[in-house]
Each structure stands twice: as structure tokens, then as C-alpha cells.
Amino acid sequence: GASADAATYAALADRIGPVEFVGYEQYDNVDAEVKAIVVDGQERDALHHGSEGEVILSPTPFYAESGGQIGDTGTLIWDGGRGTVLDTVKPFGEMPVSRLRVDEGSLAVHEVVRASVPAPLRLDTTANHTATHLLHQALKDLLGNTVQQAGSLVAPDRLRFDYTHHHPLTDGQLRQIEDAVNDRVRANLDVTKTVMPLAEARQSGAVAMFGEKYGEQVRVVAAGDYSREFCGGCHVNRTGDIGIFKITSDRSLAAG
């Protein structure tokens, strides 16, 4: 069950220590060591051809699902074998764990592998993540600070932004928001990512996600002087990399 799995991962986190995530800058052919293999909540020495299990890699280019951004998929290649990463999650604390299917050969603990996230996947995801921040700011500018973010989804093929507001947007307002975001895209603003103490980040006016727990150090992602948010996700380096922003639907769920 989930609790037994959590105990396994807690013990592993204790033994392995922090896993290094390098996927902000490096996501192709990253040399990584297999620190552990878990199958059905139990540690294993190896994962054989045709089977699936969880692997803990360090360093890892695979982003674990969080902050609305979905978990990375990709490939592992090693001497005599290859596998497909199907998803990446954080089952315990901050430790990224990738679900792997072995397509060729078998994979042993301590093996050094080449780990890759496909470039289009990473680039499309970063474009959608930065666009989500621009959309958030555009909503605030248009509707005022009563707009509350209630969640989001950032995937390679789309983004979804959930917010609470007392009435739905008109077609005219949707167009205004789309135009405001595309103006920022065309302005090709620098997107900076800065790790800073929590108090300093709050003073800088960065927007924190409601209900999120933050450590002593936080990462702040800023698009020029336009938007500033606490965010651990993957982002473009300049807003122009987004290309174009298009709202395809706006609908109300339940009462909010």
C-alpha cells in the first residue's frame, strides 16, 4: 500500500540524501547513477527486460510533477540496455522518482545511465509554464487582486489556469487578456530565476501559491518587471520563446 511505499522511500531518502535535479539547464544525455530501484514498494537490485519499476537517479534531468507542471517522460540508455521513463513524481519529500519500463537488457543499481528528456517536450512545457505566469498577471491587471489562483496544469501540449472570480469573463475580456499576454511575448522579456530567502522573496512582491508550504529558500521566477512568482518549475529564458498565446476555452466549474 501507499504507506508501506512511503516508508520505503523515507528510508531511501535518508540513505541516499538529496537528489540533484539538473533539468533546468541540462536535459539531454545527462550522466546519472541509479541510486535505487523499487518494485511494488520493495527495493530491488535490478529491473529486467519487459518489467516496470521506480528508479531514483542522481543527478536527474527529469522534473517530478509539482506546481501544476506534469512529470517528465523520456529515455535511459546504458551499456547493453535502454528503457522508457513513463512519469516522474515525488512520493516522499523532495525526492524525484521516475517510473521506468525496461525495453532492452536489464538495469542494475549503481549503473551509470544516459538520461534524456526529449527537447520538444522540455521546450513546449517551459513555454506553457511561463505563459501561465503571464496569464496570471494579465488576469490580476484586468480583474484586480481579488483573482485567486486555485491551481493549474502545465503540460507540453497545453496549459490550464484555475482561478476564482465572482463572475465569468466576457469575450471582450478574454481578448484583452490574450492581447496582454501576447504583448509580453513580443516584448521578449528576460525571464530570471533567482533562489533567495523566503522573507526577501515576499518583500520583492513575488506571488506565492495559496496553501503551498515553502522552505527557508525559495525560487522566484520573474518575467521582466511584469510578473514575479514563487516557482520551482521549468521556464523559458525569454518570453519570445513562447511564440504565441491562445485561449481556447474559459468555463466555470461548480460555484467558483
Side-chain angles (χ1 to χ4, degrees):
S3 54
D5 289 8
T8 299
Y9 285 118
L12 279 172
D14 207 40
R15 197 176 80 227
I16 294 166
V19 167
E20 189 190 1
F21 171 70
V22 295
Y24 294 134
E25 279 87 29
Q26 295 171 273
Y27 48 85
D28 190 41
N29 280 328
V30 173
D31 286 332
E33 186 191 344
V34 178
K35 296 288 191 182
I37 294 171
V38 175
V39 179
D40 296 329
Q42 302 295 313
E43 273 198 76
R44 295 276 190 272
D45 294 332
L47 198 55
H48 301 291
H49 176 237
S51 56
E52 279 182 29
E54 276 76 41
V55 293
I56 297 162
L57 306 168
S58 191
T60 182
F62 300 110
Y63 182 87
E65 180 177 355
S66 54
Q69 185 177 323
I70 68 172
D72 275 338
T73 57
T75 55
L76 296 188
I77 298 172
W78 60 94
D79 279 351
R82 60 183 301 127
T84 303
V85 171
L86 306 168
D87 193 13
T88 304
V89 295
K90 288 183 196 171
F92 179 83
E94 288 301 302
M95 187 169 67
V97 174
S98 289
R99 179 145 195 92
L100 182 75
R101 182 186 70 227
V102 177
D103 302 320
E104 264 173 53
S106 65
L107 179 65
V109 174
H110 304 309
E111 183 94 50
V112 173
V113 299
R114 284 198 303 287
S116 298
V117 179
L121 182 95
R122 169 62 87 245
L123 298 174
D124 291 348
T125 302
T126 58
N128 281 333
H129 207 149
T130 307
T132 308
H133 286 207
L134 300 180
L135 169 60
H136 190 186
Q137 188 58 46
L139 279 163
K140 291 183 126 152
D141 288 350
L142 184 70
L143 303 174
N145 284 331
T146 54
V147 171
Q148 284 290 326
Q149 179 172 354
S152 64
L153 169 81
V154 176
D157 56 334
R158 65 193 173 108
L159 65 90
R160 190 193 74 231
F161 188 82
D162 310 329
Y163 64 96
T164 53
H165 190 60
H166 39 78
H167 41 75
L169 294 172
T170 65
D171 288 348
Q173 286 176 316
L174 286 173
R175 264 197 308 279
Q176 270 178 278
I177 285 166
E178 210 170 74
D179 289 346
V181 172
N182 282 315
D183 284 349
R184 295 331 183 282
V185 171
R186 279 192 293 271
N188 204 20
L189 306 171
D190 256 326
V191 180
T192 58
K193 303 95 178 170
T194 317
V195 176
M196 59 176 82
L198 182 61
E200 193 184 317
R202 289 199 193 284
Q203 278 165 356
S204 79
V207 178
M209 254 300 277
F210 177 74
E212 278 282 326
K213 290 184 175 52
Y214 294 103
E216 285 304 297
Q217 296 279 320
V218 294
R219 186 166 174 266
V220 173
V221 175
D225 294 329
Y226 184 63
S227 73
R228 291 178 74 79
E229 292 195 32
F230 289 36
C231 188
C234 300
H235 287 271
V236 297
N237 291 320
R238 302 192 71 96
T239 57
D241 298 348
I242 293 167
I244 189 166
F245 171 80
K246 183 89 189 97
I247 296 171
T248 55
S249 75
D250 171 62
R251 60 201 167 101
S252 176
L253 299 173

